[in-house]
Amino acid sequence: MLDQTFSGGVVIANPYPVEQVKIIQAPLPNQVVLPLQQRIGAEAKPCVEVGDRVLTGQVIAKTQDQFCVPIHASISGTVMAIDKQIIPHKSGLKSTCIRIESDGQDEWVETKGCGSDFLHCDRQTLIDYVQRSGIVGLGGAGFPSHTKLNKATGCHTLIINGTECEPGVMCDDALMQHHPREVIRGVEILLHITGAKRAIIAIEDDKQEAYQSLLMFNHNDLISLAQLPTKYTSGAEKLLIKALLDIEIPSGGFAADKGILCQNVSSTKAIFDAVIDQRPLVSRIVTITGDALTPVNVEARLGTSFEHIISLTDVNQQAHDYRMGGMMMGIDIENTQMPICKITNCIFVNNRKPKQLAKECIRCNTCNTVCPIGLLPQQLYWHAKGENIEKCMDYHLFDCIECACCSYVCPSHIDLAGYFSFAKALHKKQATDQHKTDIARDRFEFREYRLERNKQERAQMMAEKKQALKDKMAKDKEQGQVQKDKIAQAMARVNKIKEKDA
């Protein structure tokens, strides 16, 4: 086990531990709601219509954006609606979704893949399978896996992230315990795609069962397992690389710049499913935890409502608060009618309690000591509170990963991470407004330039016309004088003849 990880961070014990990490297979839902807007990129366009019958695994929406993945039907049935629905996102805005009503058959579409003999498939073919199977980062980021793989040229080290550092989340732990063979084979597929010389599966030291399971199935000399001290936020990509390889990714840099590729362990298993079992991503494991029920892990089809999978637990009948994605970096959600999506790794169901009110900052400096990035949250807070975004940028606002370690230790209960998220949003708004202002100014300046240019062109044209007229008049005058001279000469000749005749 590694002795040291990174500076900062906080040690938080799992508030809702269980004796044995199990996975419950959720029954097929009566309906699923599948959002067409993924985490990044353009919104997918439906390729089915209301009333169409679809099969499980069938592509129902796609986009030409190479950063995006297609949307698959997670059950077989009939498309009942394509409309706006509220999705689990902190914006609270609605997004276009496809609603499918189940026929109870779960009939799968015929799919293709490389199968177990994947070594005969070339790199790009495998990456195409990953994209067509709709695989993204399942740890919560949702970044498309094929995009990472396409950029992994020159990769020397592959890191499989099984740290799952958020307290209370157990879905990756359950996956590693129950699917170790698939995880190891998934890592071998990634080694073949990237050409990396080694792979490291990172696990926190409180997941001994998962560690032993993977160790038992790992017979590949290129793959090693590394245990890290259980500390939040060891799962953050840059911190994980620092802890494992002692390599620092600079501000604004990427792991790929250093020849390193990080993949979530659940995404790695999904890649196994896509390449060898030839199944697109239509389900995921979700941890249901909190003080209102006994924690469980449920494997459910994407698009299943929170309500459906919470109903599989022994949740009590009190009033609840809901949170998706972890007690530290998750988001509060208003109701349980929203659908689970690819980044839904955990749902907290807690008995409703009065929230602690924030007090004035006492400048204790505790937040500065736990920041894993080495920022100065206290100073950032004052500038964010005063909406002085320029000063926030001086304190490296965008290096903040919003892990909320600072908020966790704050004795005044100030939501520091919330202030930083607000400051980032404000910076984005100001940048957008400035961009619009710049465009408007450029348009005005171009209009002024165009009007001045037209004015000059007209003046030049009038001057040329005036000069041409002058030239013509002068020429006409000259020609008139010549004519007069000719007439005078003719008259002189006539008069001379008359004088001779007289």
Side-chain angles (χ1 to χ4, degrees):
M1 187 179 76
L2 298 178
D3 295 329
Q4 297 180 345
T5 53
F6 53 89
S7 61
V10 291
V11 177
I12 308 172
N14 184 350
Y16 312 110
V18 294
E19 293 183 1
Q20 190 173 3
V21 179
K22 299 178 180 177
I23 299 177
I24 297 174
Q25 294 294 327
L28 284 179
N30 294 327
Q31 68 172 21
V32 294
V33 176
L34 300 163
L36 303 187
Q37 178 64 63
Q38 301 292 292
R39 191 62 179 260
I40 66 169
E43 183 177 276
K45 303 296 182 187
C47 48
V48 293
E49 296 180 350
V50 174
D52 286 355
R53 182 171 187 271
V54 296
L55 303 179
T56 307
Q58 178 180 331
V59 174
I60 56 173
K62 55 187 176 182
T63 171
Q64 298 300 318
D65 190 335
Q66 289 301 308
F67 286 103
C68 297
V69 294
I71 312 296
H72 300 81
S74 56
I75 57 174
S76 62
T78 304
V79 177
M80 301 303 293
I82 302 175
D83 55 9
K84 296 280 188 181
Q85 301 278 345
I86 296 179
I87 62 172
H89 188 271
K90 61 183 179 181
S91 70
L93 299 176
K94 291 184 176 181
S95 178
T96 305
C97 300
I98 295 179
R99 181 163 62 88
I100 303 172
E101 190 171 280
S102 174
D103 58 9
Q105 303 299 314
D106 195 28
E107 185 178 352
W108 280 72
V109 70
E110 185 177 349
T111 56
K112 295 180 179 179
C114 288
S116 57
D117 195 16
F118 64 86
L119 292 175
H120 288 86
C121 289
D122 61 36
R123 174 179 183 273
Q124 194 56 52
T125 300
L126 289 168
I127 293 175
D128 290 343
Y129 277 134
V130 171
Q131 181 180 16
R132 290 207 296 268
S133 299
I135 299 171
V136 301
L138 299 178
F143 195 83
S145 297
H146 72 276
T147 303
K148 275 190 169 183
L149 293 171
N150 273 321
K151 293 183 176 180
T153 54
C155 173
H156 55 74
T157 302
L158 175 64
I159 294 177
I160 306 302
N161 190 350
T163 55
E164 197 174 54
C165 60
E166 277 264 14
V169 184
M170 303 177 294
C171 58
D172 286 348
D173 189 6
L175 180 132
M176 289 186 285
Q177 288 191 44
H178 293 273
H179 299 284
R181 185 183 70 85
E182 291 86 346
V183 171
I184 296 296
R185 291 289 280 166
V187 178
E188 291 174 337
I189 294 170
L190 289 171
L191 283 170
H192 178 58
I193 292 175
T194 61
K197 302 301 181 185
R198 62 171 174 169
I200 304 171
I201 303 176
I203 307 175
E204 288 175 311
D205 60 2
D206 65 343
K207 299 177 176 59
Q208 288 301 315
E209 290 81 4
Y211 177 79
Q212 294 299 330
S213 296
L214 291 172
L215 200 61
M216 184 181 300
F217 281 87
N218 180 27
H219 306 294
N220 192 320
D221 294 337
L222 299 180
I223 304 174
S224 62
L225 277 68
Q227 287 186 288
L228 293 89
T230 303
K231 184 169 79 166
Y232 181 75
T233 60
S234 58
E237 184 174 285
K238 291 184 178 180
L239 301 178
L240 188 59
I241 292 172
K242 172 64 178 174
L244 292 174
L245 307 175
D246 196 24
I247 295 176
E248 289 195 11
I249 308 299
S251 174
F254 299 95
D257 301 336
K258 300 288 185 180
I260 303 166
L261 173 69
C262 286
Q263 279 287 340
N264 172 264
V265 70
S266 292
S267 302
T268 304
K269 197 265 183 180
I271 289 173
F272 167 88
D273 293 338
V275 174
I276 295 183
D277 282 354
Q278 304 171 17
R279 293 163 66 99
L281 181 60
V282 297
S283 66
R284 71 154 298 144
I285 302 172
V286 182
T287 298
I288 314 298
T289 189
D291 60 14
L293 46 77
T294 303
V296 294
N297 291 289
V298 178
E299 182 165 11
R301 297 296 173 90
L302 299 174
T304 304
S305 72
F306 286 24
E307 184 70 32
H308 180 72
I309 54 177
I310 292 174
S311 68
L312 303 176
T313 68
D314 59 352
V315 61
N316 62 33
Q317 298 302 311
Q318 299 182 29
H320 301 137
D321 287 324
Y322 303 97
R323 188 173 178 85
M324 185 191 83
M327 58 182 282
M328 299 295 287
M329 299 181 72
I331 58 171
D332 294 327
I333 54 175
E334 295 298 325
N335 63 66
T336 55
Q337 299 305 313
M338 300 179 187
I340 67 164
C341 50
K342 294 176 183 178
I343 61 170
T344 309
N345 59 348
C346 182
I347 301 171
F348 278 82
V349 184
N350 292 315
N351 295 319
R352 185 161 297 169
K353 299 173 185 173
K355 294 185 178 178
Q356 291 180 309
L357 297 177
K359 302 173 184 175
E360 288 296 323
C361 173
I362 59 174
R363 302 177 186 272
C364 63
N365 202 39
T366 308
C367 54
N368 291 351
T369 63
V370 298
C371 179
I373 309 299
L375 303 179
L376 299 173
Q378 182 183 314
Q379 283 76 2
L380 263 175
Y381 161 67
W382 290 111
H383 296 308
K385 187 177 180 181
E387 300 186 11
N388 189 340
I389 303 304
E390 189 174 341
K391 274 289 185 183
C392 287
M393 298 300 288
D394 291 341
Y395 282 91
H396 309 286
L397 171 67
F398 278 88
D399 283 344
C400 172
I401 59 175
E402 299 181 37
C403 63
C405 285
C406 49
S407 304
Y408 181 77
V409 299
C410 179
S412 296
H413 309 296
I414 300 172
D415 181 13
L416 295 166
Y419 275 97
F420 306 150
S421 177
F422 163 77
K424 289 178 181 178
L426 185 58
H427 176 271
K428 184 177 181 180
K429 181 179 183 302
Q430 288 179 350
T432 302
D433 292 345
Q434 184 61 48
H435 181 62
K436 290 179 179 177
T437 302
D438 291 343
I439 291 176
R441 187 186 64 246
D442 290 345
R443 285 177 175 169
F444 174 77
E445 290 177 351
F446 180 73
R447 180 177 179 274
E448 292 295 302
Y449 162 77
R450 180 167 53 81
L451 292 175
E452 180 61 26
R453 183 191 63 191
N454 292 344
K455 181 180 177 182
Q456 291 179 359
E457 287 177 349
R458 279 197 301 272
Q460 183 178 359
M461 183 180 66
M462 293 302 295
E464 289 174 352
K465 280 187 176 181
K466 189 175 181 181
Q467 184 60 44
L469 182 60
K470 285 183 177 179
D471 293 344
K472 184 176 182 301
M473 291 176 65
K475 187 176 180 180
D476 291 346
K477 184 177 180 181
E478 182 180 354
Q479 288 178 345
Q481 187 59 45
V482 171
Q483 193 66 26
K484 286 182 179 179
D485 291 343
K486 288 182 178 179
I487 292 174
Q489 291 173 0
M491 290 298 295
R493 286 196 297 273
V494 170
N495 291 333
K496 190 174 182 179
I497 293 171
K498 285 181 178 180
E499 289 175 356
K500 286 180 178 180
D501 292 342

